[in-house]
Amino acid sequence: MSNPRADRVKEAAKLAGRSARLKTGLFLAEGPQAVREALLAHRHAVEAGLPGVVVEAYATEACLQRLPELAGLAAGTTLRLATDEVLAAMADTVSPQGIVAVCRMQSPTLQEVLATAPKLIAVMCEVRDPGNAGTILRAADSAGADAVILTASSVDIHNPKAVRSTVGSLFHLPVVSGVEFAELADALRQAGITILAADGYGSQDLDALQDESAVRRLAPGAEATGTSGPRLENQTAWLFGNEAQGLSDAELAAADFRVAVPVYGQAESLNVGTAATVCLYASARAQNR
Amino acid sequence: MSNPRADRVKEAAKLAGRSARLKTGLFLAEGPQAVREALLAHRHAVEAGLPGVVVEAYATEACLQRLPELAGLAAGTTLRLATDEVLAAMADTVSPQGIVAVCRMQSPTLQEVLATAPKLIAVMCEVRDPGNAGTILRAADSAGADAVILTASSVDIHNPKAVRSTVGSLFHLPVVSGVEFAELADALRQAGITILAADGYGSQDLDALQDESAVRRLAPGAEATGTSGPRLENQTAWLFGNEAQGLSDAELAAADFRVAVPVYGQAESLNVGTAATVCLYASARAQNR
């Protein structure tokens, strides 16, 4: 393909907008790393008898020469050669580094996710910045979380900037979007999952919870301090709030406990991405992943 | 001030460039949050008989009306009224939100920092992205680290984007810049500080080290597994490496131990800012800050 004004190119470019994504159920992955993860996820899905992830991919000849393994991975999907001009016209990034893929949103339902008996879930409540959403999704992936959930008022994780900032993690674990918070809280409670609010003003100190958990797991005889706080070993859903306002009163009220990541220095507060990383890793460690 | 072409404005604008910063020893803090932290640091420094931090500040009348506490904080420094045009001409940001401050770099030497018997130090080795440098500095502040050190080949922490991304933490703890790595490693070793390399391929698992530390601190009788790994309770300097290459062979060789933040999911690796956050918090917790 060499015509940047072709219909196919225009259709792909439209996926930068939310309405086109909602209408088609498609989104764009840009650049070698994201496309590679999309192709791997596609292969796993097809092998499991599930709908594929990648609808079609477009790459320059130079890109495929530089990264021949991508062509191998693309076997079984439609891979089209395209010029740099075509890719630039499709992509949101100035330079998509020679490859983009049109992907089908995997949209598991909340019930499907809960049916898998998840041990660790990250919930974004009105997280608005695509970069923060990406950081949290990536941290959830690193910590081995079973799912990520975005409430209806959070950023669209399939927007190009958010997809980019997940650095491929979007394709690694189930992501449920557009959930109403009240419905979510009910469902988590019914599933027996402890809801922890990450809240700078929380009365529970994450470091104390981690210490208690370590002693329970590693030196059970020594367990002395019976606390009434949450056990990080349990099935857990962490709530992470809006960048400016934090969690709302309703979100805080729905949580079983409010947990603060302690701030030891003079920093006023933690960035939500940083706090989420520390919280999710604390759970992962306690759950012996 | 209303003339965006005044010499004073041009001098401030030049501070966006490294050479002007090196020549003058000055840099620019932009926006209410950074300027407030600069003014607070200035007050603490003056009270301690040290050179001041803020040389002069420029604000719009509207900004001071909106945030009158800034005018109070600026007592004892030179605060000049300026127009939006003047601020836009000075600042690197499109909109500095009505206030900027010309600040003097606090440049403690490595020896001065080591003389304070620091328990926790974050070292950036060829960290190149200003956003990552800011994230690491902010995490170090949150974790209560005693100092941050940047090797000579790292990003200039006083460049406008880096200053912005520290969200005020630049003014909270000693930051030593431009240190040669070999000299640093020698000095840390002579000071008896354990050097830990944050390295995805490290043989030491951070979670195991944290668990051992928790048991030692909380259930000393139960200590069973004598390992030969580092004790997170000890005086520690963490090395964080370049975004693409990680730590160099020389940097790895200088470390007493190589420690990996475990990756439990499918994520390929951790962003250096995320890894640094997890490492610094692990030390903070072990050191009972």
Side-chain angles (χ1 to χ4, degrees):
Chain A
M1 290 196 63
S2 60
N3 178 7
R5 295 210 198 90
D7 282 351
R8 199 183 281 282
V9 177
K10 285 184 191 157
E11 293 299 319
K14 273 190 199 153
L15 297 176
R18 187 177 171 101
S19 64
R21 290 197 299 274
L22 283 176
K23 208 167 79 182
T24 59
L26 303 176
F27 69 103
L28 216 57
E30 307 180 10
Q33 189 168 19
V35 173
R36 196 193 56 199
E37 299 304 312
L39 290 169
L40 280 167
H42 180 83
R43 179 170 289 190
H44 292 150
V46 170
E47 281 171 5
L50 297 168
V53 174
V54 175
V55 176
E56 51 189 8
Y58 297 83
T60 60
E61 217 170 328
C63 174
L64 294 179
Q65 273 165 5
R66 205 170 63 240
L67 301 163
E69 73 275 18
L70 285 176
L73 273 177
T77 65
T78 307
L79 175 62
R80 294 175 204 274
L81 281 181
T83 60
D84 277 319
E85 290 68 36
V86 164
L87 289 183
M90 280 184 176
D92 182 67
T93 27
V94 180
S95 153
Q97 299 171 266
I99 191 160
V100 305
V102 176
C103 301
R104 193 174 286 116
M105 290 181 200
Q106 310 298 295
S107 301
T109 65
L110 181 57
Q111 293 309 328
E112 283 167 348
V113 162
L114 294 178
T116 64
K119 284 213 73 176
L120 182 57
I121 298 176
V123 182
M124 299 190 221
C125 302
E126 304 205 35
V127 171
R128 292 281 167 79
D129 176 73
N132 285 335
T135 299
I136 295 173
L137 178 47
R138 204 173 161 192
D141 182 15
S142 303
D146 300 296
V148 169
I149 298 172
L150 293 104
T151 63
S153 45
S154 287
V155 65
D156 181 352
I157 197 72
H158 292 101
N159 96 33
K161 191 151 186 280
V163 172
R164 228 160 24 240
S165 71
T166 72
V167 195
S169 286
L170 177 59
F171 300 106
H172 291 167
L173 70 175
V175 177
V176 186
S177 291
V179 181
E180 291 300 333
F181 182 77
E183 180 202 339
L184 171 65
D186 283 349
L188 290 171
R189 219 173 281 121
Q190 279 187 16
I193 296 174
T194 304
I195 305 177
L196 300 185
D199 171 25
Y201 303 100
S203 58
Q204 301 284 337
D205 177 293
L206 184 67
D207 277 1
L209 299 180
Q210 286 192 81
D211 278 347
E212 288 162 20
S213 162
V215 171
R216 268 196 303 275
R217 286 177 292 119
L218 300 169
E223 187 171 0
T225 52
T227 76
S228 53
R231 296 188 165 219
L232 296 176
E233 303 90 302
N234 292 353
Q235 273 187 286
T236 299
W238 279 102
L239 309 184
F240 305 115
N242 176 265
E243 288 83 355
Q245 271 88 43
L247 290 164
S248 71
D249 289 345
E251 289 155 357
L252 288 172
D256 294 303
F257 297 93
R258 305 179 191 186
V259 181
V261 176
V263 173
Y264 297 101
Q266 294 180 58
E268 224 178 292
S269 65
L270 289 169
N271 167 281
V272 65
T274 301
T277 302
V278 175
C279 292
L280 292 167
Y281 258 91
S283 289
R285 205 159 67 79
Q287 297 181 353
N288 266 328
R289 273 159 193 271
Chain B
M1 290 196 65
S2 61
N3 178 7
R5 295 210 198 90
D7 282 351
R8 201 182 280 282
V9 177
K10 285 183 192 161
E11 293 299 319
K14 275 191 200 155
L15 297 176
R18 189 178 170 100
S19 64
R21 290 196 300 274
L22 283 176
K23 208 167 78 180
T24 60
L26 304 175
F27 68 102
L28 216 57
E30 305 179 11
Q33 190 169 18
V35 173
R36 195 192 58 198
E37 299 302 314
L39 289 169
L40 280 168
H42 179 83
R43 180 171 287 188
H44 293 151
V46 169
E47 281 170 5
L50 297 168
V53 173
V54 175
V55 176
E56 52 189 8
Y58 298 83
T60 62
E61 217 168 328
C63 173
L64 295 179
Q65 273 166 6
R66 203 171 66 241
L67 301 163
E69 73 276 15
L70 284 176
L73 273 178
T77 65
T78 307
L79 175 63
R80 295 174 203 274
L81 283 180
T83 60
D84 277 321
E85 290 69 35
V86 162
L87 288 182
M90 279 184 176
D92 183 67
T93 26
V94 180
S95 152
Q97 298 171 266
I99 191 161
V100 305
V102 176
C103 301
R104 192 174 286 115
M105 291 180 198
Q106 311 296 295
S107 301
T109 65
L110 181 57
Q111 292 311 328
E112 283 167 349
V113 163
L114 294 179
T116 64
K119 284 213 73 179
L120 182 56
I121 298 176
V123 181
M124 299 189 221
C125 301
E126 305 205 32
V127 170
R128 291 282 167 80
D129 177 74
N132 285 335
T135 300
I136 295 172
L137 179 47
R138 203 171 161 194
D141 182 16
S142 303
D146 301 295
V148 169
I149 298 173
L150 293 105
T151 63
S153 45
S154 286
V155 63
D156 182 353
I157 197 72
H158 293 100
N159 96 32
K161 191 149 186 279
V163 171
R164 235 168 10 249
S165 71
T166 72
V167 196
S169 286
L170 177 59
F171 300 106
H172 290 166
L173 70 174
V175 177
V176 186
S177 291
V179 181
E180 291 300 333
F181 181 77
E183 181 203 339
L184 171 65
D186 283 347
L188 291 171
R189 219 172 283 121
Q190 278 188 17
I193 296 173
T194 304
I195 305 176
L196 300 184
D199 171 26
Y201 303 101
S203 59
Q204 301 284 336
D205 178 293
L206 184 68
D207 278 1
L209 298 180
Q210 286 193 81
D211 278 347
E212 288 162 21
S213 162
V215 170
R216 267 196 302 276
R217 286 177 293 117
L218 301 168
E223 185 171 1
T225 51
T227 75
S228 54
R231 297 188 164 220
L232 296 177
E233 302 91 304
N234 293 353
Q235 274 186 284
T236 299
W238 279 101
L239 309 184
F240 305 114
N242 176 265
E243 288 84 354
Q245 270 88 41
L247 290 163
S248 70
D249 290 344
E251 289 154 358
L252 289 172
D256 295 304
F257 298 93
R258 304 179 191 186
V259 181
V261 176
V263 172
Y264 297 101
Q266 293 179 58
E268 223 178 292
S269 66
L270 290 168
N271 167 282
V272 65
T274 301
T277 301
V278 175
C279 291
L280 292 168
Y281 259 91
S283 289
R285 204 159 65 80
Q287 297 181 352
N288 266 326
R289 277 164 188 267

